[in-house]
Amino acid sequence: MSDSEKSDDETRRLPIGDARIEQRDGEAWLVVSGEALCANMEVTLEPAVYVVQPDWWQVTLIGTLPGGLCLTSIRPYEAARPVRTIAGKQGIVLLGADDESRRFAL
């Protein structure tokens, strides 16, 4: 995809639905689920980039609309990421819409 195509995508923080740490194949994962308001919305967990490991690693729940167009239809989503890739010294801070946040101590 070219840079000009990507620039038309719309991204926004999403409200946090259910968020938890769960075990999958013997490994801890941060799992967030809820409802997306657009059928074509791509939901991801985007970690901040740090030079050194922080006390609390910030991870943002992001919804992306390709081309900025919403196909209006509520659909369930689940976004997950292995904790080992986003673990701060004390834990993880999940950021959502409207300054909503949740902490997961590790």
Side-chain angles (χ1 to χ4, degrees):
M1 183 176 285
S2 73
D3 288 340
S4 63
E5 288 176 291
K6 279 192 152 287
S7 65
D8 291 338
D9 292 353
E10 180 183 322
T11 61
R12 63 179 88 156
R13 282 188 186 184
L14 297 179
I16 299 169
D18 179 44
R20 62 201 177 279
I21 302 290
E22 86 179 29
Q23 293 292 316
R24 293 184 174 182
D25 297 324
E27 184 175 11
W29 285 68
L30 173 62
V31 180
V32 183
S33 56
E35 292 183 334
L37 298 179
C38 303
N40 59 325
M41 182 174 278
E42 299 167 8
V43 180
T44 56
L45 294 171
E46 299 294 329
V49 177
Y50 297 98
V51 175
V52 296
Q53 182 184 27
D55 288 336
W56 294 91
W57 202 301
Q58 291 187 353
V59 178
T60 305
L61 181 63
I62 297 289
T64 302
L65 289 171
L69 299 173
C70 174
L71 301 177
T72 306
S73 176
I74 295 174
R75 70 163 182 86
Y77 73 80
E78 180 177 279
R81 206 166 178 105
V83 168
R84 67 178 160 72
T85 66
I86 53 172
K89 294 174 186 172
Q90 294 185 36
I92 300 166
V93 176
L94 177 62
L95 303 174
D98 302 321
D99 295 324
E100 177 184 19
S101 67
R102 296 202 193 153
R103 286 184 181 248
F104 297 90
L106 302 176

